Amino acid sequence: MTDARVPSRRRYLVCDPGHFDVRYAINPWMRPGRPVDLALAQRQWRTLVDVYRAHGHTVDSVKPVPGLPDMVFAANAAVVVGGRVLGSLFLAPERRPESVPYESWFKAEGFDVHRPESVCEGEGDLVPAGRWILAGTGFRTTRGAHAEAQEFFGVPVIGLTLVDPYFYHLDTALFALDEENIAYYPEAFSPGSREVLARLYPDAVTATREDAVAFGLNSVSDGRHVFVSPGATALAARLAERGYVPVPVDLSEFHKAGGGIKCCTQEIRS
């Protein structure tokens, strides 16, 4: 079965964690004053970049800005579909300045950037998944942003309600495996949203809470290789059974801020 899975080359955007720190608390994972090992964070981040490139993917980088410790979480800055960029409008005032350097990078690369009017946290809550965009709400991105995304991209947007504050962004509870399937943690969603996901993805890979708190759902897939937290062992086994190839990458230092592999990775879909 493994040979049937075909990877596709991706273009990723990342941001060096040179200013990474936990200076405020905007999710349950964050504890200001808890030491951050910046040297370890940089080694883990470089390993992620090296692994992407070793698997044939292109990696671009945005220059970090002093005073923006969460800028390393590139996925939150925008969502890109068909070469069109929907930027971000963060809920937390501490993160709102991050939108500017990312917007500047995209414009320098020749992209037009649409600024959302509603709170919108990029791929944190807007997950392109084949025929539609899965869109989270409940803690950060608003339903108004879901409507903006649908109008801007012309792609059906499926709204999903998150109910567990530890999974405050959709990308902490769900990721796209390929154009047809996903992996997710059902209990992170409202009953109605769980039913929607079950109808849309009857063959989805479901994860346990242990997988989820290990940031196993904050993963990146190229259709064959799944770059996943090494702590999500049960999930990795289930993925392997389905013919995917788990590629463990440890970003544990970033868990202190509530982030992981996907949070650090913006995909540029041209």
Side-chain angles (χ1 to χ4, degrees):
M1 181 183 292
T2 301
D3 292 339
R5 303 292 181 190
V6 179
S8 61
R9 293 196 173 186
R10 309 296 176 100
R11 184 183 181 189
Y12 297 132
L13 180 63
V14 299
C15 180
D16 187 286
H19 304 295
F20 174 62
D21 200 356
V22 179
R23 300 181 186 175
Y24 44 77
I26 56 173
N27 67 59
W29 303 94
M30 302 179 84
R31 299 175 186 173
R34 182 182 182 186
V36 167
D37 187 333
L38 185 57
L40 175 58
Q42 290 183 307
R43 289 196 301 272
Q44 291 179 341
W45 180 85
R46 290 191 190 105
T47 296
L48 177 66
V49 172
D50 290 344
V51 168
Y52 283 152
R53 288 176 173 155
H55 284 80
H57 304 304
T58 299
V59 182
D60 294 308
S61 184
V62 171
K63 185 177 180 180
V65 175
L68 299 179
D70 281 342
M71 193 175 162
V72 65
F73 299 129
N76 303 156
V79 60
V80 186
V81 177
R84 307 188 74 189
V85 182
L86 178 64
S88 62
L89 176 58
F90 288 94
L91 176 65
E94 295 91 341
R95 296 200 64 186
R96 289 195 172 185
E98 295 175 32
S99 301
V100 176
Y102 279 102
E103 182 175 329
S104 297
W105 185 91
F106 278 111
K107 287 183 175 179
E109 289 291 311
F111 293 93
D112 290 327
V113 182
H114 175 76
R115 292 182 179 180
E117 297 180 2
S118 304
V119 171
C120 181
E121 301 205 352
E123 283 191 322
D125 278 320
L126 298 174
V127 177
R131 293 166 288 176
W132 38 63
I133 296 172
L134 302 178
T137 191
F139 297 102
R140 300 290 184 84
T141 299
T142 64
R143 290 197 179 274
H146 296 184
E148 284 189 68
Q150 181 163 287
E151 287 299 311
F152 180 65
F153 292 120
V155 176
V157 172
I158 310 297
L160 303 167
T161 301
L162 297 161
V163 296
D164 186 327
Y166 281 92
F167 309 107
Y168 57 94
H169 270 154
L170 184 60
D171 73 357
T172 64
L174 175 153
F175 70 97
L177 285 164
D178 47 42
E179 294 294 294
E180 301 296 333
N181 209 4
I182 64 169
Y184 71 106
Y185 170 50
E187 285 71 23
F189 298 90
S190 68
S193 295
R194 290 200 297 269
E195 186 171 347
V196 167
L197 289 170
R199 287 175 181 270
L200 293 179
Y201 300 101
D203 297 321
V205 176
T206 56
T208 65
R209 187 173 182 82
E210 288 73 21
D211 293 327
V213 298
F215 287 82
L217 282 308
N218 196 240
S219 295
V220 170
S221 173
D222 65 12
R224 172 180 169 87
H225 308 99
V226 180
F227 307 98
V228 61
S229 168
T233 54
L235 176 61
R238 290 185 182 183
L239 292 170
E241 289 172 358
R242 298 290 193 93
Y244 298 96
V245 180
V247 181
V249 184
D250 183 10
L251 259 63
S252 55
E253 200 61 18
F254 297 95
H255 297 180
K256 295 176 179 178
I261 293 170
K262 177 55 193 173
C263 288
C264 291
T265 310
Q266 167 73 232
E267 183 173 346
I268 302 174
R269 300 169 184 83
S270 57

XYZ file of all heavy atoms in Angstrom, residues 150-233:
652
model
N -14.297 32.441 1.515
C -15.073 31.833 0.434
C -15.246 32.808 -0.723
O -15.104 32.432 -1.899
C -16.431 31.376 0.950
C -17.284 30.701 -0.127
C -18.428 29.906 0.477
O -18.242 28.850 1.055
N -19.629 30.447 0.342
N -15.539 34.052 -0.407
C -15.701 35.057 -1.451
C -14.385 35.334 -2.165
O -14.350 35.520 -3.392
C -16.260 36.350 -0.863
C -17.722 36.271 -0.475
C -18.618 35.960 -1.657
O -18.471 36.624 -2.709
O -19.432 35.029 -1.559
N -13.300 35.356 -1.426
C -11.997 35.701 -2.000
C -11.452 34.581 -2.878
O -10.977 34.812 -3.990
C -11.011 36.027 -0.884
C -9.631 36.394 -1.366
C -9.432 37.549 -2.120
C -8.537 35.583 -1.082
C -8.152 37.890 -2.571
C -7.266 35.924 -1.532
C -7.080 37.076 -2.279
N -11.513 33.344 -2.386
C -10.943 32.217 -3.120
C -11.931 31.556 -4.079
O -11.519 30.848 -4.999
C -10.423 31.154 -2.143
C -9.234 31.587 -1.335
C -9.299 31.627 0.061
C -8.042 31.939 -1.947
C -8.202 32.007 0.814
C -6.934 32.335 -1.203
C -7.019 32.370 0.181
N -13.232 31.741 -3.844
C -14.215 31.064 -4.662
C -14.218 29.566 -4.442
O -14.562 28.789 -5.340
N -13.855 29.167 -3.238
C -13.795 27.758 -2.847
C -14.774 27.548 -1.699
O -14.822 28.376 -0.775
C -12.364 27.380 -2.399
C -12.314 25.945 -1.891
C -11.379 27.564 -3.553
N -15.563 26.472 -1.714
C -16.478 26.237 -0.593
C -15.728 26.142 0.731
O -14.682 25.478 0.820
C -17.137 24.900 -0.947
C -17.008 24.787 -2.425
C -15.694 25.436 -2.759
N -16.240 26.809 1.732
C -15.634 26.806 3.059
C -16.552 26.064 4.023
O -17.740 26.372 4.122
C -15.375 28.250 3.556
C -14.930 28.249 5.014
C -14.317 28.921 2.673
N -16.006 25.083 4.711
C -16.754 24.271 5.663
C -16.416 24.731 7.077
O -15.293 24.546 7.548
C -16.407 22.773 5.517
C -16.512 22.313 4.061
C -17.282 21.939 6.452
C -17.886 22.402 3.474
N -17.374 25.357 7.763
C -17.137 25.863 9.110
C -17.178 24.761 10.152
O -18.095 23.935 10.157
N -16.204 24.758 11.045
C -16.101 23.771 12.114
C -15.857 24.489 13.432
O -15.039 25.412 13.499
C -14.947 22.799 11.837
C -15.005 22.032 10.516
C -13.670 21.374 10.229
C -16.126 21.000 10.551
N -16.551 24.064 14.482
C -16.441 24.725 15.780
C -15.529 23.931 16.718
O -15.764 22.748 16.987
C -17.824 24.878 16.434
O -18.657 25.650 15.569
C -17.712 25.573 17.784
N -14.501 24.608 17.201
C -13.566 24.026 18.169
C -14.078 24.292 19.579
O -14.570 25.387 19.875
C -12.178 24.638 17.986
C -11.516 24.364 16.623
C -10.398 25.365 16.362
C -10.993 22.937 16.575
N -13.946 23.307 20.476
C -14.521 23.444 21.808
C -13.527 23.239 22.947
O -13.856 23.479 24.109
C -15.705 22.470 21.996
C -16.833 22.806 21.034
C -15.263 21.013 21.824
N -12.312 22.811 22.648
C -11.309 22.553 23.684
C -10.224 23.609 23.578
O -9.548 23.708 22.546
C -10.710 21.154 23.492
C -9.758 20.743 24.619
O -9.072 21.627 25.164
O -9.692 19.544 24.931
N -10.021 24.450 24.606
C -9.054 25.548 24.501
C -7.621 25.103 24.246
O -6.805 25.895 23.760
C -9.179 26.268 25.849
C -9.815 25.281 26.760
C -10.712 24.449 25.911
N -7.289 23.848 24.545
C -5.943 23.357 24.235
C -5.744 23.182 22.733
O -4.611 23.136 22.251
C -5.664 22.044 24.963
C -5.293 22.257 26.411
C -6.269 22.251 27.406
C -3.977 22.508 26.787
C -5.945 22.469 28.729
C -3.637 22.738 28.106
C -4.621 22.712 29.077
O -4.281 22.943 30.399
N -6.851 23.120 22.006
C -6.804 23.008 20.553
C -7.519 24.227 19.978
O -8.612 24.146 19.421
C -7.417 21.674 20.111
C -6.831 20.516 20.860
C -7.563 19.847 21.832
C -5.509 20.152 20.657
C -7.005 18.813 22.576
C -4.930 19.114 21.389
C -5.682 18.445 22.338
N -6.857 25.343 20.164
C -7.438 26.660 19.918
C -7.431 27.044 18.440
O -8.168 27.927 18.019
C -6.681 27.715 20.727
C -5.193 27.726 20.418
C -4.675 28.582 19.456
C -4.326 26.841 21.053
C -3.339 28.565 19.136
C -2.981 26.827 20.746
C -2.489 27.680 19.787
O -1.147 27.645 19.469
N -6.564 26.418 17.676
C -6.532 26.584 16.229
C -6.904 25.258 15.579
O -6.584 24.185 16.102
C -5.114 26.948 15.750
C -4.822 28.402 15.705
N -3.534 28.900 15.811
C -5.625 29.496 15.554
C -3.550 30.218 15.726
N -4.822 30.591 15.569
N -7.497 25.329 14.399
C -7.860 24.102 13.691
C -6.642 23.230 13.418
O -6.718 22.002 13.471
C -8.567 24.455 12.382
C -9.105 23.286 11.559
C -10.135 22.480 12.344
C -9.698 23.782 10.247
N -5.495 23.866 13.144
C -4.317 23.065 12.798
C -3.661 22.373 13.985
O -2.653 21.679 13.828
C -3.296 23.896 12.012
C -2.553 24.923 12.844
O -2.844 25.074 14.056
O -1.665 25.596 12.285
N -4.231 22.541 15.165
C -3.776 21.732 16.307
C -4.645 20.492 16.483
O -4.327 19.614 17.286
C -3.792 22.538 17.619
O -5.137 22.906 17.935
C -2.922 23.781 17.515
N -5.751 20.430 15.730
C -6.717 19.334 15.883
C -6.973 18.565 14.597
O -7.643 17.535 14.630
C -8.049 19.890 16.394
N -6.403 19.037 13.474
C -6.720 18.434 12.178
C -5.658 18.822 11.165
O -5.137 19.941 11.183
C -8.091 18.935 11.723
C -8.641 18.567 10.361
C -10.170 18.594 10.401
C -8.147 19.523 9.254
N -5.320 17.899 10.268
C -4.490 18.264 9.130
C -4.886 17.433 7.913
O -5.441 16.339 8.036
C -2.991 18.126 9.429
C -2.484 16.715 9.566
C -1.886 16.056 8.492
C -2.567 16.053 10.784
C -1.402 14.763 8.636
C -2.079 14.758 10.936
C -1.499 14.108 9.848
N -4.627 17.993 6.736
C -4.940 17.309 5.484
C -3.831 16.322 5.155
O -2.651 16.689 5.106
C -5.099 18.324 4.361
N -4.200 15.073 4.921
C -3.232 14.059 4.520
C -2.918 14.173 3.030
O -1.783 13.962 2.603
C -3.786 12.667 4.821
C -3.771 12.258 6.297
C -4.687 11.061 6.530
C -2.346 11.943 6.729
N -3.937 14.459 2.242
C -3.811 14.598 0.793
C -5.063 15.320 0.312
O -5.781 15.921 1.127
C -3.635 13.226 0.117
C -4.635 12.183 0.604
O -5.829 12.532 0.768
O -4.236 11.028 0.821
N -5.345 15.240 -0.962
C -6.506 15.944 -1.521
C -7.834 15.328 -1.109
O -8.891 15.945 -1.259
C -6.411 15.969 -3.045
C -5.248 16.783 -3.586
C -5.377 18.261 -3.287
O -6.306 18.878 -3.820
O -4.560 18.779 -2.512
N -7.800 14.097 -0.589
C -9.033 13.360 -0.318
C -9.287 13.034 1.153
O -10.408 12.695 1.517
C -9.031 12.040 -1.111
C -8.915 12.215 -2.614
C -10.101 12.936 -3.225
O -11.203 12.858 -2.651
O -9.913 13.578 -4.282
N -8.274 13.126 1.998
C -8.462 12.639 3.364
C -7.746 13.514 4.384
O -6.870 14.323 4.048
C -7.969 11.186 3.478
C -8.717 10.411 4.557
O -9.652 10.909 5.185
N -8.306 9.172 4.779
N -8.136 13.316 5.646
C -7.583 14.090 6.752
C -7.285 13.178 7.932
O -7.710 12.018 7.983
C -8.555 15.194 7.226
C -9.842 14.564 7.797
C -8.861 16.172 6.107
C -10.739 15.554 8.537
N -6.577 13.727 8.903
C -6.446 13.129 10.230
C -6.938 14.162 11.222
O -6.697 15.368 11.044
C -4.996 12.750 10.518
N -7.638 13.724 12.275
C -8.143 14.695 13.239
C -8.445 14.040 14.581
O -8.508 12.812 14.704
C -9.389 15.410 12.707
C -10.662 14.579 12.614
C -11.700 14.764 13.517
C -10.845 13.639 11.605
C -12.885 14.034 13.431
C -12.019 12.900 11.502
C -13.036 13.102 12.414
O -14.198 12.380 12.325
N -8.624 14.912 15.583
C -8.984 14.492 16.935
C -10.446 14.874 17.153
O -10.759 16.061 17.334
C -8.072 15.183 17.951
C -8.499 15.016 19.395
C -8.795 13.765 19.932
C -8.584 16.134 20.240
C -9.183 13.623 21.247
C -8.959 15.996 21.573
C -9.269 14.743 22.065
O -9.657 14.597 23.385
N -11.367 13.923 17.119
C -12.802 14.256 17.137
C -13.247 15.091 18.327
O -14.079 16.012 18.174
C -13.477 12.877 17.145
C -12.480 11.968 16.489
C -11.145 12.482 16.934
N -12.732 14.812 19.525
C -13.225 15.491 20.720
C -12.849 16.963 20.772
O -13.315 17.688 21.649
C -12.739 14.764 21.972
C -13.472 13.468 22.257
C -13.137 12.351 21.266
O -12.048 12.407 20.639
O -13.950 11.425 21.116
N -12.026 17.424 19.856
C -11.706 18.852 19.812
C -12.852 19.663 19.210
O -12.847 20.896 19.298
C -10.434 19.081 19.002
N -13.855 18.972 18.622
C -14.911 19.640 17.876
C -16.271 19.507 18.554
O -16.513 18.566 19.312
C -14.980 19.053 16.470
C -13.727 19.253 15.674
C -12.713 18.305 15.703
C -13.549 20.393 14.916
C -11.541 18.483 14.980
C -12.385 20.586 14.187
C -11.379 19.627 14.221
N -17.160 20.415 18.230
C -18.539 20.347 18.703
C -19.213 19.117 18.101
O -18.761 18.588 17.074
C -19.300 21.602 18.286
O -19.469 21.630 16.876
N -20.305 18.633 18.710
C -20.985 17.443 18.167
C -21.372 17.592 16.699
O -21.186 16.668 15.901
C -22.208 17.306 19.071
C -21.766 17.880 20.378
C -20.890 19.044 20.006
N -21.909 18.748 16.336
C -22.307 18.945 14.952
C -21.127 18.923 14.000
O -21.210 18.373 12.895
N -20.011 19.521 14.435
C -18.820 19.529 13.587
C -18.232 18.135 13.446
O -17.731 17.764 12.365
C -17.779 20.495 14.164
O -18.257 21.829 14.125
N -18.306 17.345 14.514
C -17.840 15.951 14.408
C -18.667 15.194 13.382
O -18.137 14.394 12.597
C -17.924 15.258 15.775
C -16.923 15.764 16.783
C -16.714 14.770 17.904
N -17.907 14.519 18.689
C -18.253 15.202 19.779
N -17.491 16.215 20.191
N -19.351 14.897 20.448
N -19.965 15.458 13.370
C -20.823 14.775 12.415
C -20.492 15.199 10.985
O -20.473 14.366 10.059
C -22.297 15.059 12.711
C -23.255 14.262 11.850
C -24.696 14.396 12.292
O -24.950 14.902 13.397
O -25.573 13.985 11.502
N -20.215 16.481 10.797
C -19.830 16.968 9.474
C -18.561 16.268 8.999
O -18.479 15.781 7.865
C -19.626 18.496 9.495
C -18.931 18.972 8.217
C -20.960 19.211 9.652
N -17.567 16.197 9.866
C -16.309 15.559 9.484
C -16.496 14.076 9.188
O -15.893 13.541 8.251
C -15.263 15.760 10.583
C -14.735 17.194 10.723
C -13.893 17.334 11.983
C -13.924 17.593 9.488
N -17.333 13.425 9.980
C -17.586 11.999 9.741
C -18.261 11.780 8.395
O -17.993 10.778 7.708
C -18.437 11.425 10.867
N -19.123 12.703 7.987
C -19.806 12.575 6.700
C -18.852 12.866 5.534
O -18.865 12.186 4.504
C -20.992 13.540 6.629
C -22.189 13.143 7.491
C -23.263 14.213 7.447
N -24.398 13.864 8.283
C -25.452 13.172 7.858
N -25.499 12.772 6.600
N -26.452 12.901 8.668
N -18.033 13.891 5.713
C -17.115 14.274 4.641
C -15.963 13.295 4.487
O -15.483 13.045 3.369
C -16.559 15.678 4.897
C -17.530 16.850 4.834
C -16.799 18.146 5.148
C -18.196 16.937 3.467
N -15.505 12.752 5.622
C -14.306 11.909 5.615
C -14.561 10.609 6.385
O -14.038 10.398 7.487
C -13.131 12.661 6.249
C -12.779 13.943 5.547
C -13.198 15.178 6.049
C -12.032 13.929 4.373
C -12.874 16.360 5.405
C -11.706 15.108 3.721
C -12.125 16.318 4.233
O -11.801 17.487 3.588
N -15.342 9.715 5.811
C -15.642 8.469 6.518
C -14.414 7.585 6.746
O -14.425 6.721 7.622
C -16.661 7.781 5.598
C -16.434 8.386 4.252
C -16.033 9.799 4.512
N -13.356 7.810 5.974
C -12.140 7.012 6.118
C -11.006 7.788 6.779
O -9.826 7.406 6.676
C -11.681 6.510 4.742
C -12.698 5.578 4.103
O -13.286 4.766 4.843
O -12.907 5.669 2.881
N -11.334 8.868 7.460
C -10.307 9.686 8.098
C -9.518 8.891 9.131
O -10.013 7.925 9.723
C -10.950 10.895 8.770
N -8.299 9.337 9.363
C -7.478 8.782 10.439
C -7.790 9.589 11.699
O -7.600 10.806 11.720
C -5.984 8.884 10.102
C -5.133 8.383 11.277
C -5.665 8.096 8.831
N -8.299 8.940 12.722
C -8.620 9.647 13.961
C -7.522 9.437 14.990
O -6.871 8.387 15.021
C -9.970 9.196 14.530
O -9.955 7.782 14.708
C -11.099 9.579 13.592
N -7.346 10.442 15.805
C -6.270 10.443 16.789
C -6.829 10.453 18.202
O -7.948 10.920 18.442
C -5.379 11.669 16.580
N -6.046 9.959 19.143
C -6.398 10.001 20.559
C -6.009 11.348 21.149
O -5.276 12.134 20.529
C -5.656 8.905 21.322
O -4.236 9.187 21.261
C -5.937 7.529 20.729
N -6.489 11.612 22.361
C -6.072 12.843 23.021
C -4.565 12.850 23.261
O -3.919 13.895 23.165
C -6.824 13.031 24.343
C -6.531 14.391 24.989
C -7.377 14.681 26.218
N -7.079 16.004 26.748
C -7.583 17.139 26.305
N -8.448 17.120 25.307
N -7.240 18.305 26.845
N -3.999 11.684 23.563
C -2.553 11.600 23.777
C -1.794 12.033 22.523
O -0.791 12.751 22.600
C -2.160 10.178 24.179
C -2.572 9.760 25.580
C -4.063 9.505 25.725
O -4.747 9.251 24.686
O -4.575 9.574 26.866
N -2.278 11.586 21.357
C -1.678 12.036 20.099
C -1.795 13.555 19.969
O -0.844 14.236 19.568
C -2.408 11.416 18.897
C -2.234 9.923 18.772
O -1.155 9.418 19.128
O -3.187 9.261 18.318
N -2.985 14.056 20.280
C -3.259 15.474 20.069
C -2.424 16.363 20.978
O -1.890 17.382 20.528
C -4.748 15.749 20.265
N -2.312 16.003 22.263
C -1.536 16.846 23.176
C -0.041 16.753 22.893
O 0.738 17.602 23.336
C -1.837 16.530 24.659
C -3.286 16.801 24.994
C -1.452 15.110 25.008
N 0.360 15.729 22.153
C 1.753 15.625 21.702
C 1.965 16.401 20.400
O 3.030 16.309 19.792
C 2.136 14.165 21.508
N 0.954 17.182 19.988
C 0.976 17.979 18.756
C 1.059 17.098 17.513
O 1.585 17.512 16.473
C 2.113 19.014 18.792
C 1.818 20.161 19.730
C 2.042 20.034 21.094
C 1.292 21.345 19.255
C 1.750 21.074 21.970
C 0.993 22.392 20.117
C 1.211 22.256 21.485
N 0.502 15.892 17.618
C 0.476 15.001 16.474
C -0.386 15.477 15.327
O -0.155 15.104 14.174
N -1.418 16.297 15.633
C -2.281 16.818 14.569
C -1.741 18.103 13.975
O -2.295 18.611 12.989
C -3.705 17.032 15.090
C -4.605 15.792 15.223
C -4.651 14.992 13.944
C -4.196 14.904 16.375
N -0.695 18.632 14.552
C -0.040 19.815 14.007
C 1.075 19.356 13.061
O 2.244 19.678 13.225
C 0.515 20.689 15.143
C 0.859 22.091 14.698
O 1.997 22.523 14.792
N -0.132 22.831 14.221
N 0.650 18.557 12.086
C 1.573 17.891 11.172
C 1.447 18.447 9.765
O 0.479 19.129 9.425
C 1.296 16.386 11.153
O 1.572 15.795 12.410
N 2.419 18.099 8.935
C 2.446 18.504 7.531
C 2.601 17.250 6.680
O 3.456 16.400 6.964
C 3.605 19.475 7.258
C 3.793 19.706 5.761
C 3.379 20.797 7.976
N 1.775 17.127 5.655
C 1.841 15.971 4.758
C 2.072 16.426 3.326
O 1.499 17.430 2.895
C 0.547 15.161 4.833
O 0.535 14.132 3.867
N 2.898 15.685 2.592
C 3.072 15.962 1.170
C 2.331 14.944 0.302
O 2.556 14.841 -0.890
C 4.554 16.029 0.798
C 5.299 14.704 0.970
O 4.654 13.658 1.158
O 6.549 14.717 0.915
N 1.437 14.200 0.946
C 0.677 13.181 0.253
C 1.208 11.775 0.480
O 0.482 10.789 0.294
N 2.450 11.679 0.883
C 3.069 10.387 1.222
C 3.788 10.472 2.558
O 3.531 9.690 3.467
C 4.043 9.958 0.130
C 4.880 8.714 0.470
C 5.822 8.356 -0.674
N 6.795 7.344 -0.295
C 6.587 6.026 -0.367
N 5.425 5.579 -0.780
N 7.544 5.184 -0.012
N 4.672 11.448 2.678
C 5.417 11.650 3.918
C 4.633 12.560 4.848
O 4.130 13.601 4.430
C 6.783 12.271 3.634
C 7.572 11.540 2.592
N 7.628 11.968 1.289
C 8.279 10.385 2.667
C 8.373 11.129 0.587
N 8.777 10.145 1.385
N 4.540 12.163 6.109
C 3.867 12.977 7.112
C 4.898 13.388 8.150
O 5.431 12.553 8.887
C 2.709 12.223 7.787
C 2.048 13.111 8.832
C 1.676 11.792 6.748
N 5.198 14.656 8.185
C 6.158 15.213 9.130
C 5.409 15.428 10.442
O 4.531 16.291 10.537
C 6.753 16.502 8.568
C 7.320 16.302 7.181
C 6.578 16.639 6.052
C 8.565 15.724 6.999
C 7.073 16.426 4.768
C 9.085 15.502 5.724
C 8.331 15.854 4.602
N 5.739 14.627 11.434
C 4.889 14.483 12.608
C 5.715 14.495 13.888
O 6.885 14.093 13.896
C 4.067 13.170 12.506
C 4.981 11.957 12.445
C 3.044 13.045 13.611
N 5.100 14.942 14.962
C 5.752 14.931 16.270
C 6.099 13.500 16.683
O 5.258 12.604 16.587
C 4.819 15.544 17.315
O 5.298 15.299 18.622
N 7.314 13.262 17.169
C 7.679 11.903 17.584
C 6.893 11.403 18.783
O 6.864 10.200 19.047
C 9.176 12.024 17.906
C 9.403 13.464 18.175
C 8.440 14.202 17.296
N 6.230 12.300 19.506
C 5.427 11.894 20.657
C 4.098 11.274 20.290
O 3.459 10.627 21.120
N 3.676 11.447 19.044
C 2.370 10.928 18.605
C 2.551 9.521 18.029
O 2.331 9.270 16.839
C 1.755 11.866 17.580
N 2.926 8.592 18.878
C 3.303 7.259 18.409
C 2.121 6.459 17.868
O 2.246 5.759 16.853
C 3.988 6.477 19.538
O 3.124 6.474 20.688
C 5.313 7.123 19.917
